[in-house]
């Protein structure tokens, strides 16, 4: 098991280049199953979630190659129907996209239930509801989901989601691309990675409109075709470096971002007192403490992302006064990191969906050993370690390595004292 050793106290300074968006790429790669022909995907982050997914696709019979750093060429033309390796599927969350992709390609599917960060109950009832409305007979057990065409066959349908779900929206899009007729998803998720998946599929010949609004229309086509597509930059990775810059009182140019995607985060960091300058594809973040207290409520896009909850919480810990942080997507997410931050000197009181974060003002957090319990919690503990005095050891870093490409290298370039140590 490896851990990170962080000697805190250095303000981050310099430039960091953001990688391709994890949550876009983990949907785009399964989507290539729908394509007879070669897909060249650019801006692919080399992170463990992507590597697992590529292993799954290889084991299904896809030809997969890293053509160059950040570029994957994948050809699923000859992939026969079959259950993807359940052991690999259980290692990550986004393997659930194989359900929609298999249903779209073969008219049936059999995939083990996914794993991934277990910071909350993460039901997939809306995915199942969508597949059922598209005409599939769905069998769901504690181990797997299996689907066959129902008595009327598969057909386009109007599907109104009961909750705004990224996964269900993407999965229904995947299934519907090649199904005859028009599918309309109402109450759809609007996240940038939903738009990116739709753009990828349209580049390969799909007819999807409305992605980025709450109503997405998919007109089924007979066949897709190969092509080249570059994934968007990762909104959450960018937000994490922005929060790290603010927490350490640094001055960082965050490059390869889409500033529009960052607005929900930029606004909050400005409220805390950070100076943020937007360029075409970069954002400069400058901050000095004391930071001001703020109120944040996580919401689906364009709201403040739940995947930035833990990182902004660290900034709140370092502010003056009591901030309020309300989680409206995954209520139990606080439990992944608040007690660890408290071990470093933070004072956080969680009551139901809201945390009251008592800022430490001019004082410092103190380094100690902390345990990451999920990906974003791990990122937050790294930020806390960078801002703390003394040495912080972050354990369970396999969570962090799921989603942050070359994090040690990027932080070191910004002047951080951070090392990966094998135990
Ligand atoms: N929900 C249901 N039923 C469903 C699906 C979702 O009740 O069938 C609920 C969830 O319990 C949650 C809400 O709807 O309360 C939103 O869940 P969503 O389906 O949007 O989440 P997800 O697709 O499983 C993706 C990201 C997560 C991110 C969430 C919210 C991927 C692979 N994962 O998960 O990313 O937190 O959307 O934005 O895209 C991360 O990157 O660290 C991460 C956890």
């Amino acid at each position: 098991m490896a851990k990170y050793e962080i000697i805190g106290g250095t303000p981050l300074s310099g430039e960091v280049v953001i990688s391709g968006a994890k949550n876009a790429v983990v949907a785009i790669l399964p989507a290539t199953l729908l394509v007879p022909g070669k897909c060249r995907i650019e801006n692919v982050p080399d992170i463990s979630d992507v590597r697992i997914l590529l292993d799954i696709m290889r084991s299904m019979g896809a030809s997969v190659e890293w053509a160059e750093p950040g570029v994957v060429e994948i050809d699923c033309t000859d992939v026969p129907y079959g259950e993807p390796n359940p052991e690999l599927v259980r290692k990550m969350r986004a393997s659930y996209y194989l359900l929609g992709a298999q249903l779209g390609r073969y008219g049936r599917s059999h995939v083990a239930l996914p794993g991934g960060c277990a910071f909350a109950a993460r039901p997939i009832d809306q995915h199942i509801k969508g597949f059922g409305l598209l005409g599939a007979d769905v069998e769901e057990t504690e181990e797997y989901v299996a689907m066959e065409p129902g008595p009327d066959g598969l057909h386009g349908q109007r599907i109104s989601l009961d909750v705004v779900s990224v996964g269900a929206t993407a999965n229904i899009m995947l299934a519907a691309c090649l199904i005859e007729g028009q599918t309309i998803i109402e109450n759809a998720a609007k996240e940038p990675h939903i738009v990116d998946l739709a753009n990828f599929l349209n580049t390969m010949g799909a007819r999807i409109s409305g992605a980025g609004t709450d109503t997405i229309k998919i007109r089924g086509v007979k066949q897709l075709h190969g092509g080249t597509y570059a994934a968007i930059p990762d909104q959450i990775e960018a937000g994490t470096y922005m929060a790290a810059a603010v927490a350490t009182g640094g001055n960082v140019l965050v490059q390869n971002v889409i500033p529009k995607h960052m607005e929900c985060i930029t606004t909050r960091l400005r409220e805390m007192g950070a100076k943020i300058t937007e360029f075409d594809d970069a954002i400069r973040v400058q901050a000095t403490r004391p930071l001001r207290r703020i109120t944040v409520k996580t919401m689906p896009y364009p709201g403040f992302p739940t995947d930035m909850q833990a990182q902004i919480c660290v900034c709140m810990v370092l502010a003056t006064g009591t901030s309020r942080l309300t989680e409206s997507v995954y209520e139990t997410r606080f439990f992944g990191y608040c007690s660890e931050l408290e071990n470093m000197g933070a004072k956080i009181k969680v009551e139901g969906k809201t945390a009251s974060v008592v800022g430490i003002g001019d004082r410092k957090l103190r380094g100690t050993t902390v345990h990451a319990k999920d990906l974003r919690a791990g990122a937050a503990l790294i930020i806390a370690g960078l801002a703390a005095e003394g040495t912080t050891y972050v354990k369970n870093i396999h969570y962090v390595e799921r989603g942050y490409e070359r994090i040690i290298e990027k932080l070191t370039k910004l002047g951080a004292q951070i090392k990966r140590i094998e135990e």
Side-chain angles (χ1 to χ4, degrees):
M1 293 287 261
K3 64 183 178 189
Y4 295 145
E5 179 190 87
I6 304 164
I7 301 171
T10 314
L12 296 187
S13 153
E15 298 174 7
V16 61
V17 180
I18 297 307
S19 303
K22 166 178 93 80
N23 288 343
V25 169
V26 297
I28 288 171
L29 293 174
T32 62
L33 198 57
L34 297 167
V35 181
K38 193 195 269 186
C39 298
R40 181 181 160 92
I41 319 292
E42 299 173 352
N43 224 9
V44 176
D46 187 5
I47 50 177
S48 68
D49 265 11
V50 163
R51 271 181 255 134
I52 294 166
L53 198 43
L54 292 177
D55 282 347
I56 296 175
M57 306 212 47
R58 268 190 207 101
S59 73
M60 291 167 75
S63 141
V64 177
E65 208 188 319
W66 285 92
E68 52 191 271
V71 180
V72 168
E73 287 181 353
I74 181 160
D75 190 337
C76 293
T77 311
D78 297 324
V79 173
Y81 176 72
E83 184 189 355
N85 180 324
E87 246 173 70
L88 291 175
V89 164
R90 285 193 203 102
K91 283 191 176 172
M92 64 178 303
R93 186 81 195 150
S95 49
Y96 57 28
Y97 290 135
L98 293 165
L99 283 165
Q102 278 200 330
L103 189 66
R105 164 135 183 203
Y106 307 103
R108 58 194 172 132
S109 177
H110 189 124
V111 182
L113 286 175
C117 288
F119 48 72
R122 300 179 75 184
I124 57 164
D125 57 295
Q126 297 301 303
H127 306 228
I128 305 290
K129 167 181 157 170
F131 298 141
L133 286 167
L134 290 173
D137 258 352
V138 188
E139 180 197 357
E140 194 187 1
T141 73
E142 283 180 5
E143 298 285 313
Y144 62 83
V145 176
M147 297 189 274
E148 294 284 340
D152 299 331
L154 300 174
H155 45 77
Q157 184 61 272
R158 181 179 288 270
I159 299 164
S160 181
L161 296 177
D162 304 317
V163 291
V164 181
S165 159
V166 169
T169 303
N171 235 339
I172 295 167
M173 271 184 353
L174 291 172
C177 277
L178 295 172
I179 289 180
E180 207 182 316
Q182 180 169 253
T183 295
I184 301 178
I185 310 174
E186 292 171 339
N187 201 24
K190 298 184 276 217
E191 267 66 6
H193 32 290
I194 293 290
V195 180
D196 211 37
L197 175 62
N199 286 342
F200 165 77
L201 290 165
N202 284 343
T203 303
M204 306 300 152
R207 287 181 60 195
I208 301 173
S209 59
T213 75
D214 59 7
T215 305
I216 299 178
K217 293 185 180 166
I218 306 131
R219 172 75 63 185
V221 296
K222 290 246 173 321
Q223 207 178 33
L224 302 182
H225 53 74
T228 297
Y229 188 78
I232 51 167
D234 197 303
Q235 176 207 29
I236 305 300
E237 191 199 6
T240 301
Y241 284 100
M242 290 169 71
V246 170
T248 58
N251 181 348
V252 174
L253 184 67
V254 185
Q255 290 183 314
N256 188 35
V257 297
I258 297 176
K260 179 83 194 156
H261 292 166
M262 306 309 302
E263 269 173 12
C264 38
I265 298 162
T266 304
T267 309
R268 293 291 168 266
L269 295 178
R270 278 194 178 125
E271 281 171 20
M272 297 198 91
K275 180 171 177 232
I276 297 185
T277 318
E278 291 178 11
F279 304 95
D280 286 347
D281 60 358
I283 292 182
R284 179 172 294 285
V285 183
Q286 290 165 274
T288 41
R289 287 179 68 193
L291 302 166
R292 289 195 287 269
R293 69 187 183 92
I294 52 165
T295 297
V296 171
K297 182 176 183 182
T298 67
M299 299 283 273
Y301 190 81
F304 189 91
T306 173
D307 290 343
M308 278 297 298
Q309 182 219 94
Q311 301 90 315
I312 197 84
C313 184
V314 177
C315 297
M316 292 174 165
V317 165
L318 297 166
T320 302
T322 301
S323 296
R324 283 172 72 78
L325 180 54
T326 301
E327 172 58 48
S328 64
V329 182
Y330 291 114
E331 204 171 306
T332 49
R333 215 162 184 174
F334 293 120
F335 299 109
Y337 65 95
C338 286
S339 57
E340 304 299 303
L341 288 181
E342 284 186 306
N343 290 339
M344 298 178 75
K347 230 171 119 192
I348 305 168
K349 189 167 171 213
V350 179
E351 276 175 315
K353 292 181 172 186
T354 299
S356 300
V357 185
V358 184
I360 59 172
D362 289 335
R363 285 176 297 122
K364 292 207 159 163
L365 290 172
R366 49 175 191 274
T368 182
T369 297
V370 288
H371 297 82
K373 292 186 186 139
D374 65 67
L375 165 61
R376 307 305 172 185
L381 296 175
I382 292 173
I383 297 174
L386 294 170
E389 65 186 3
T391 304
T392 299
Y393 293 97
V394 180
K395 293 194 156 190
N396 296 345
I397 59 170
H398 60 281
Y399 285 117
V400 177
E401 292 174 353
R402 265 191 186 161
Y404 288 92
E405 188 179 39
R406 293 183 281 109
I407 188 165
I408 298 294
E409 192 187 309
K410 290 187 186 187
L411 284 171
T412 304
K413 204 171 152 240
L414 292 173
Q417 294 190 61
I418 179 166
K419 283 201 288 219
R420 187 180 195 277
I421 300 177
E422 292 292 342
E423 285 188 301

